[in-house]
Amino acid sequence: MEKNNESSEIQEAPEQFRVRAEKRARMLAEGTDPYPVELPIITTIKKVREEFDRLEIDEQSPAPVGVAGRVMFIRGSGKLQFVVIQDGEGNRIQVMLSAKEVGSDSLKEFKANVDLGDHLFVHGPAMRSRRGELSIFAQPGEDVPPWRITSKALRPLPKTFTTETGEEMSLSEEARIRQRHLDMILRPAAREMVRTRADVVWSLRDYFHREGFLEIETPMLQNIHGGAAARPFQTHMNAYDTELYLRIAPELFLKRAVVGGVEKVFEINRNFRNEGADSSHSPEFTMLEAYEAYGTYNTMATRTRDFIQKAARDVFGTEKVTLADGSEYDLSGQWDEISLYEVVSEAVKEEITPETELSRLVQLAEERGIAVPDHAVAGKVVEEIFEHEVGDHLWAPTFVRDYPVDTSPLVRQHRSLPGRVEKWDLYVRGFELATAYSELVDPVIQRERFEAQALAAANGDPEAMVLDEEFLQAMEQGMPPTGGMGMGLDRLLMALTGYGIRETITFPLVKRVEN
């Protein structure tokens, strides 16, 4: 019955799939497993190229090699076949199969069964072909076949097409995001981004470990969403019969760790925000947050600059990185610092302070085409004007300092500037990359701020924070003066590479398409 169902499905499949599925079935019927569990792989394509790059034409390696890779090219007829295989890092090598060496029946079987996209094992000496190409000359060994399919691909690789600009492409941008596995097979930049991301994460962890920080994990399922102004995803837990939220930030739990005595702590993990998606926003993203007892927002500015510069050096060997469009971006040296209220005042050509009336700020915003929601507070309007007039145009790395109190419920009051808090946002290439605070540690003021946020929520602000009683009780136990910072890892990759956020996330969330 199962075989009949499989046969029916094959007959209804697209032509290429059907042909390949029939090859798979034929191999099984002939006693050949198209998905063997183990093969005598001796080395890698990369090592073959490194070890035998100096071979002369017709010169062979002293011993045979056994490698595997995906078939990316097949050419030839008669008694000779040329194949190019590629490994997971994108290294390629040519394979030559001749009837004289592998046998007529083996070559016939190869032609009948092997397709582009299949994974292939080959055994034989490395040699330099008469055209100068380093190749593997397939030959059988003692109990080792000259070649074997290691995984039969039932779906063909996409065909290459040429864009209007003359660039050769295999997948549209949408297809690349939806089928990242194909993107990584076909496009070197996609494979490189995966490795770059892993290297950047390693560099960040190395920095914090060397500086004496402990890495911990905090809950992703939370009873109360907090630590940021954002809309959460909501779910239901059957076992407790309760509503839970996917976290929007780990901040409040990391601060509890500081209260508990983990005075230098960090976490690199996922956050979830039920908001829009564009070239710099993703509903699921990776966040770095770090907290240091007896640090300030100035301490965290120095640390943030240091670990970003370190990541650039570790991954690219320089603090002047080359972006996707070929331009250079300079992360070296000291970074600029500007005052939020001062640059907004310059932009609107009048002095703006924390005492400026909300009605005047709304007027200034609307004159510039900025929509202001009914529930917006004065500080939020100032920030909207800043984004529109200044933030989008900040190209060099710049710390924007000293934000409004009414938009910063978790931040300490500025020590010398009334109506402001000790907070900075770091801008690079026109987008916000990171933020840091001198953390609010007075539990009485924190409770008052949470109560004000609750009122804002009642007035219609969907991003207002809720009062977290358990966090307040932890603060009431005594939290030392603390500096804290947060940075989107995906955005750091954007800053270092020049790609959009969906390129930096290996498997970004995309809207499902019904078949």
Side-chain angles (χ1 to χ4, degrees):
M1 188 66 179
E2 290 182 0
K3 290 184 178 180
N4 290 336
N5 286 341
E6 181 177 301
S7 176
S8 175
E9 290 173 0
I10 290 173
Q11 290 174 7
E12 295 173 0
E15 179 66 15
Q16 273 279 349
F17 189 99
R18 183 184 62 80
V19 169
R20 288 165 177 253
E22 288 174 350
K23 291 180 180 181
R24 169 190 171 275
R26 184 175 65 244
M27 292 173 66
L28 288 170
E30 293 172 350
T32 300
D33 186 354
Y35 307 99
V37 67
E38 186 177 16
L39 287 154
I41 295 173
I42 300 170
T43 186
T44 64
I45 294 173
K46 181 180 181 179
K47 289 182 179 179
V48 170
R49 288 204 162 277
E50 291 173 349
E51 188 172 354
F52 302 115
D53 186 58
R54 296 183 180 180
L55 289 177
E56 301 291 339
I57 291 178
D58 289 337
E59 183 184 1
Q60 295 188 3
S61 60
V65 300
V67 301
R70 187 185 293 273
V71 176
M72 303 300 294
F73 177 79
I74 301 176
R75 175 177 61 85
S77 59
K79 297 183 178 182
L80 187 62
Q81 287 280 305
F82 294 91
V83 183
V84 174
I85 59 174
Q86 171 182 290
D87 66 15
E89 295 182 353
N91 300 299
R92 294 186 174 191
I93 196 164
Q94 178 175 272
V95 176
M96 296 188 293
L97 299 99
S98 72
K100 180 180 179 181
E101 295 295 332
V102 304
S104 298
D105 291 342
S106 178
L107 187 61
K108 182 179 178 180
E109 181 184 353
F110 179 92
K111 293 178 181 180
N113 291 339
V114 177
D115 294 296
L116 289 175
D118 290 351
H119 285 265
L120 190 70
F121 164 79
V122 291
H123 173 273
M127 64 173 293
R128 183 76 61 184
S129 73
R130 293 179 181 177
R131 294 188 176 183
E133 180 71 22
L134 183 63
S135 309
I136 296 175
F137 198 43
Q139 291 178 355
E142 185 176 350
D143 298 324
V144 180
W147 67 272
R148 186 171 177 183
I149 291 176
T150 66
S151 183
K152 182 65 188 173
L154 300 185
R155 294 184 181 275
L157 293 174
K159 292 183 179 179
T160 300
F161 63 92
T162 304
T163 65
E164 294 180 356
T165 60
E167 182 182 7
E168 285 196 348
M169 300 289 290
S170 296
L171 298 166
S172 66
E173 181 178 355
E174 184 70 14
R176 288 195 294 102
I177 300 301
R178 290 186 177 278
Q179 302 181 76
R180 185 68 88 191
H181 57 289
L182 290 178
D183 193 24
M184 290 188 283
I185 292 170
L186 298 169
R187 199 166 59 94
R191 294 191 299 272
E192 186 60 30
M193 178 59 74
V194 176
R195 299 183 183 282
T196 296
R197 185 183 179 99
D199 291 342
V200 167
V201 171
W202 173 88
S203 176
L204 296 178
R205 283 199 164 101
D206 180 66
Y207 172 87
F208 283 104
H209 290 152
R210 287 172 181 268
E211 293 295 317
F213 284 73
L214 292 178
E215 181 176 12
I216 69 171
E217 295 175 335
T218 59
M220 290 192 181
L221 284 174
Q222 300 181 353
N223 290 297
I224 296 175
H225 60 89
R231 297 184 184 185
F233 286 96
Q234 190 170 354
T235 188
H236 182 80
M237 182 177 178
N238 293 331
Y240 291 172
D241 190 23
T242 187
E243 299 303 308
L244 296 176
Y245 301 91
L246 290 177
R247 75 171 182 198
I248 57 177
E251 178 168 344
L252 302 188
F253 282 95
L254 289 172
K255 287 181 177 178
R256 289 197 214 182
V258 175
V259 172
V262 188
E263 295 188 341
K264 297 174 81 171
V265 63
F266 80 102
E267 181 174 12
I268 299 176
N269 219 324
R270 290 299 179 101
N271 287 352
F272 308 86
R273 298 183 182 177
N274 197 0
E275 299 172 341
D278 55 33
S279 62
S280 61
H281 294 84
S282 174
E284 178 185 14
F285 62 98
T286 301
M287 192 78 171
L288 160 68
E289 288 204 16
Y291 295 85
E292 181 174 359
Y294 304 101
T296 68
Y297 74 149
N298 295 320
T299 307
M300 304 318 285
T302 300
R303 288 204 178 280
T304 301
R305 185 191 68 237
D306 288 349
F307 69 64
I308 290 175
Q309 291 175 342
K310 176 182 182 299
R313 294 193 304 272
D314 287 345
V315 179
F316 303 105
T318 177
E319 295 175 7
K320 296 180 179 180
V321 296
T322 301
L323 303 179
D325 62 3
S327 64
E328 185 179 81
Y329 189 68
D330 190 356
L331 292 160
S332 65
Q334 297 296 312
W335 292 351
D336 293 338
E337 296 184 354
I338 60 176
S339 163
L340 176 74
Y341 278 96
E342 288 180 6
V343 295
V344 169
S345 297
E346 292 172 4
V348 302
K349 295 181 172 57
E350 68 176 80
E351 185 180 16
I352 303 298
T353 72
E355 288 74 40
T356 302
E357 293 290 337
L358 174 60
S359 58
R360 178 54 181 158
L361 294 171
V362 171
Q363 182 182 1
L364 289 169
E366 291 178 345
E367 288 173 357
R368 288 158 177 77
I370 303 169
V372 180
D374 294 337
H375 56 75
V377 294
K380 181 63 174 176
V381 182
V382 173
E383 292 179 11
E384 291 290 342
I385 295 173
F386 166 79
E387 288 286 350
H388 187 273
E389 296 293 315
V390 183
D392 292 346
H393 311 292
L394 289 175
W395 182 258
T398 304
F399 292 108
V400 183
R401 294 168 59 93
D402 305 333
Y403 275 67
V405 170
D406 54 10
T407 61
S408 311
L410 298 169
V411 191
R412 180 188 290 270
Q413 183 88 18
H414 198 284
R415 67 194 79 178
S416 60
L417 299 173
R420 309 184 199 189
V421 294
E422 295 197 352
K423 168 187 172 180
W424 56 252
D425 282 350
L426 171 62
Y427 279 76
V428 297
R429 297 180 45 240
F431 63 86
E432 180 192 338
L433 173 58
T435 190
Y437 311 157
S438 295
E439 301 292 342
L440 176 58
V441 299
D442 185 329
V444 175
I445 296 176
Q446 183 65 83
R447 185 177 293 275
E448 293 171 353
R449 297 268 188 90
F450 275 155
E451 289 171 350
Q453 285 286 296
L455 181 60
N459 290 333
D461 186 349
E463 296 183 351
M465 294 185 192
V466 295
L467 191 149
D468 188 333
E469 186 62 42
E470 291 183 358
F471 171 66
L472 288 171
Q473 290 177 11
M475 286 191 68
E476 289 166 353
Q477 208 69 54
M479 179 175 172
T482 299
M485 65 78 55
M487 179 188 69
L489 179 67
D490 317 301
R491 289 195 173 192
L492 176 58
L493 268 294
M494 291 169 58
L496 293 173
T497 66
Y499 287 102
I501 197 166
R502 295 206 305 176
E503 296 287 350
T504 69
I505 299 174
T506 308
F507 294 103
L509 180 67
V510 291
K511 187 176 180 180
R512 183 178 180 181
V513 176
E514 298 295 336
N515 294 327

